[in-house]
């Protein structure tokens, strides 16, 4: 269950108890009211239904209505008089629209919190200012207001807080802080943005000025992607590419080689992998059955980039150590707080996590034969010990530090957990390479245009 979703009672589709009692008129003082003035005579239909909490009979109320300047919807509400379990949800009474829709509302005043909102199951809700998102199909459809959406998210985050273990106190504290930020949004102390993105096109945000234009609301219609069509059940899974098209992303290629340790015949596995928000890389791994030697190597699947790349990550939380990382052979690593720098080509190309690379650095430094044994000086051994202790603290998430990757070829990568948004703790800089850096990469003498003339002259 999504953290942003409140507890869901029994669903109407499977909750009707046979035989169903005939529909009856609503009791006096019914709180249900039509959405528009022209529907004053319309009343909900009541059906006796099975409660999925206590398994006794409750009542489901159905209201078929139409939202002005929108379309028809079905509002259903279930309540059980025995255990007081309740549930309310909405369903679109029309078909899936030809295009998806995205509503972007800038909430500037308290009046905006009262705007009616229809959010279907397939809609994604985002508040960019808080990096907050409620994924599609994590909540049931709802007919509510902007304030109601935020209140529902708060309820979902609060429901499991009292049952958390002591080991999760740090996570619970961060959730509590986030709940406070959500509650502050309801006061509208400063403007914020609410985005409802629905590929089915059946979500809705009220325009109180309709049919005139609303400056605070932007409505965007777009064509669905194949993945969105599949998610909505409008098409079958995307068919696999034909084998003759050589789709290397779905294959692990093998070729024969010799073990670099014992020279016995061995097999090397190679796979082409697409890293999200980056590029393709080639992962190669060799396992020798004769001596047990294992190697793995990562090669960039693309060309040298026009500009070099410098990535600086401020490691502030243990979760930063789980970020995926691609270090090419041309990348150097620096940790200023430890006064440490790892040169180009050291450790080779690696596709691992930040924690994995730090472990490799620790093993490389602490097992260096020139810093061990009788030949090492006492001062050098003490510095190595201090470095190892600080690096261990960083690996355990107890030390904040800056982790810098500098790749003149632009083929290294560090995961942005906020993608496609900017990461507040990570800075990516692109720079023009110096002459010496181009020399190290062999680019100064490389000629890609007019080389035929040079070949003819040599002959």
């Amino acid at each position: 269950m999504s953290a942003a979703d409140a507890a869901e009672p029994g669903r109407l589709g499977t909750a009707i108890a046979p035989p169903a009692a005939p529909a009856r008129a609503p009791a006096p003082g019914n709180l249900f009211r039509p959405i528009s003035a022209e529907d004053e005579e319309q009343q909900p239909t009541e059906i006796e239904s099975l409660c999925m909490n206590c398994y006794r009979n409750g009542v489901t109320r159905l209201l078929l209505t139409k939202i002005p300047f929108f379309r028809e919807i079905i509002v259903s509400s279930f309540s059980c008089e025995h255990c007081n379990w309740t549930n309310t949800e909405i369903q679109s009474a029309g078909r899936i629209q030809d295009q998806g829709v995205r509503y972007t509302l800038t909430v500037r005043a308290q009046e905006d919190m009262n705007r009616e909102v229809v959010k279907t199951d397939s809609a994604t809700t985002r508040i960019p200012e808080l990096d907050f998102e409620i994924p599609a199909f994590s909540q049931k459809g709802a007919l509510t207001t902007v304030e109601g959406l935020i209140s529902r998210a708060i309820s979902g985050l609060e429901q499991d807080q009292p049952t958390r273990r002591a080991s999760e106190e740090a996570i619970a504290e961060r959730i509590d802080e986030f709940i406070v930020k959500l509650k502050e949004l309801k006061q509208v102390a400063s403007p914020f943005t609410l985005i409802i993105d629905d590929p089915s096109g059946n979500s809705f945000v009220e325009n109180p000025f309709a049919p005139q234009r609303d400056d605070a609301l932007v409505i965007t219609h777009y064509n669905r992607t194949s993945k969105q069509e599949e998610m909505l059940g409008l098409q079958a899974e995307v068919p696999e590419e034909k084998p003759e098209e050589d789709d290397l992303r779905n294959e692990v290629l093998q070729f024969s080689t010799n073990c670099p340790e014992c020279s016995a015949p061995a097999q090397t596995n190679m796979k082409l992998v697409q890293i999200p928000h980056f590029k393709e890389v080639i992962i190669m791994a060799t396992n020798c059955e004769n001596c047990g030697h294992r190697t793995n190597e990562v090669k960039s699947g693309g060309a040298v980039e026009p500009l070099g790349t410098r990535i600086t990550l401020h490691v502030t939380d243990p979760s930063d150590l789980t970020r995926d990382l691609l270090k090419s052979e041309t990348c150097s690593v620096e940790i200023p707080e430890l006064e440490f720098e790892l040169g180009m080509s050291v450790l080779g190309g690696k596709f691992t996590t930040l924690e994995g690379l730090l472990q490799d650095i620790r093993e490389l430094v602490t097992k260096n034969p020139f810093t061990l044994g009788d030949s090492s000086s006492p001062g050098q051994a003490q510095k190595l010990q201090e470095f190892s202790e600080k690096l261990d603290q960083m690996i355990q998430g107890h030390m904040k530090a800056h982790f810098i990757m500098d790749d003149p070829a632009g083929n290294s990568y560090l995961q942005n957990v906020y993608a496609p948004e900017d990461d507040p703790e990570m800075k990516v800089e692109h720079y023009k390479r110096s002459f010496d850096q181009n020399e190290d990469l062999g680019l100064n003498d490389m000629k890609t245009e007019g080389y035929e003339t040079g070949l003819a002259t040599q002959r």
Side-chain angles (χ1 to χ4, degrees):
M1 181 178 290
S2 171
D5 197 4
E8 298 263 353
R11 297 177 60 184
L12 175 62
T14 59
I16 299 178
R24 60 180 185 269
N30 195 309
L31 296 179
F32 287 85
R33 292 292 184 269
I35 293 178
S36 61
E38 61 188 25
D39 295 329
E40 288 181 358
E41 300 301 324
Q42 184 178 3
Q43 297 295 339
T45 301
E46 296 186 356
I47 304 174
E48 191 172 358
S49 307
L50 180 67
C51 175
M52 301 306 294
N53 184 45
C54 67
Y55 299 102
R56 301 172 74 177
N57 282 351
V59 176
T60 294
R61 295 176 175 86
L62 295 176
L63 177 65
L64 281 66
T65 187
K66 181 177 180 180
I67 298 178
F69 305 101
F70 187 48
R71 57 179 61 92
E72 298 82 2
I73 63 170
I74 302 173
V75 183
S76 65
S77 175
F78 174 84
S79 62
C80 177
E81 62 182 8
H82 305 289
C83 66
N84 297 323
W85 203 3
T86 61
N87 180 36
T88 302
E89 62 180 86
I90 69 116
Q91 295 179 359
S92 174
R95 62 181 179 84
I96 294 177
Q97 304 305 306
D98 296 332
Q99 291 183 310
V101 66
R102 183 184 302 109
Y103 290 89
T104 304
L105 173 66
T106 303
V107 180
R108 300 190 180 98
Q110 197 66 42
E111 291 78 10
D112 293 326
M113 300 294 289
N114 297 326
R115 291 179 184 239
E116 290 180 347
V117 174
V118 174
K119 176 186 173 298
T120 68
D121 298 10
S122 59
T124 299
T125 304
R126 294 195 300 271
I127 302 177
E129 287 79 1
L130 297 185
D131 290 329
F132 177 67
E133 177 175 319
I134 303 175
F137 298 105
S138 63
Q139 289 183 342
K140 290 298 174 185
L143 171 60
T144 180
T145 61
V146 174
E147 183 177 5
L149 276 180
I150 298 175
S151 297
R152 192 179 186 194
I154 293 172
S155 299
L157 291 171
E158 288 179 335
Q159 65 176 355
D160 292 332
Q161 288 298 81
T163 61
R164 291 190 178 274
R165 300 188 298 269
S167 60
E168 299 175 333
E169 288 183 0
I171 299 177
E173 289 178 1
R174 295 180 65 182
I175 293 177
D176 288 337
E177 294 174 359
F178 192 81
I179 290 174
V180 172
K181 293 180 180 179
L182 283 176
K183 290 181 177 179
E184 290 176 352
L185 288 184
K186 296 169 66 175
Q187 307 303 321
V188 199
S190 60
F192 66 92
T193 306
L194 175 69
I195 301 175
I196 296 181
D197 191 335
D198 187 0
S200 74
N202 285 327
S203 289
F204 170 77
V205 176
E206 179 191 8
N207 172 8
F209 307 102
Q212 298 178 352
R213 184 174 177 270
D214 186 352
D215 294 333
L217 183 63
V218 178
I219 305 175
T220 305
H221 296 274
Y222 60 87
N223 294 325
R224 285 182 288 267
T225 63
S226 298
K227 187 175 181 180
Q228 289 172 328
E229 295 270 359
E230 181 182 341
M231 178 184 70
L232 296 173
L234 298 179
Q235 69 174 30
E237 294 184 4
V238 179
E240 296 183 0
E241 298 291 341
K242 295 181 181 179
E244 55 266 28
E245 294 184 6
D246 295 330
D247 187 5
L248 299 180
R249 296 184 186 86
N250 297 328
E251 295 185 45
V252 177
L253 303 181
Q254 289 188 338
F255 55 90
S256 300
T257 185
N258 292 328
C259 173
E261 288 292 322
C262 66
S263 298
Q267 290 288 331
T268 295
N269 296 329
M270 182 180 75
K271 191 172 191 305
L272 187 65
V273 178
Q274 174 68 44
I275 299 179
H277 307 288
F278 187 54
K279 59 171 67 175
E280 291 179 339
V281 298
I282 301 172
I283 300 179
M284 305 176 66
T286 303
N287 183 17
C288 178
E289 296 181 356
N290 184 53
C291 67
H293 180 72
R294 294 183 178 184
T295 63
N296 63 77
E297 189 175 2
V298 176
K299 298 285 188 181
S300 172
V304 174
E305 295 295 318
L307 299 175
T309 303
R310 180 183 175 91
I311 305 173
T312 303
L313 173 67
H314 188 201
V315 181
T316 59
D317 189 86
S319 62
D320 290 330
L321 299 173
T322 63
R323 294 178 184 238
D324 290 332
L325 175 149
L326 171 64
K327 175 193 171 298
S328 73
E329 293 181 336
T330 58
C331 179
S332 61
V333 175
E334 182 180 355
I335 306 176
E337 287 79 2
L338 304 185
E339 298 181 359
F340 172 78
E341 184 173 351
L342 185 72
M344 188 185 301
S345 299
V346 181
L347 292 179
K350 283 188 174 293
F351 183 49
T352 178
T353 61
L354 178 54
E355 181 181 7
L357 184 61
L358 293 177
Q359 293 280 13
D360 291 339
I361 291 174
R362 188 184 188 284
E363 184 175 355
L364 174 70
V365 174
T366 56
K367 293 185 178 181
N368 188 337
F370 294 101
T371 60
L372 302 173
D374 298 335
S375 61
S376 62
S377 62
Q380 187 180 26
Q382 183 178 357
K383 288 183 179 179
L384 181 62
Q385 180 66 24
E386 293 176 356
F387 173 82
S388 298
E389 291 175 356
K390 291 182 179 179
L391 188 58
D392 286 339
Q393 291 179 8
M394 187 174 176
I395 293 174
Q396 295 168 7
H398 299 155
M399 177 181 177
K400 296 182 179 180
H402 289 82
F403 181 82
I404 303 173
M405 300 173 61
D406 192 342
D407 187 357
N411 286 328
S412 293
Y413 161 84
L414 185 59
Q415 182 185 12
N416 173 7
V417 295
Y418 299 91
E421 306 293 336
D422 292 335
D423 190 332
E425 301 297 340
M426 189 167 73
K427 181 180 180 182
V428 181
E429 303 172 89
H430 300 282
Y431 60 86
K432 186 176 181 181
R433 287 184 290 268
S434 65
F435 179 87
D436 292 339
Q437 288 174 323
N438 282 327
E439 187 70 20
D440 291 336
L441 297 175
L443 299 178
N444 289 333
D445 298 327
M446 185 178 293
K447 189 174 183 181
T448 58
E449 296 180 0
Y451 56 87
E452 300 90 345
T453 305
L455 291 175
T457 303
Q458 290 178 4
R459 293 173 184 173

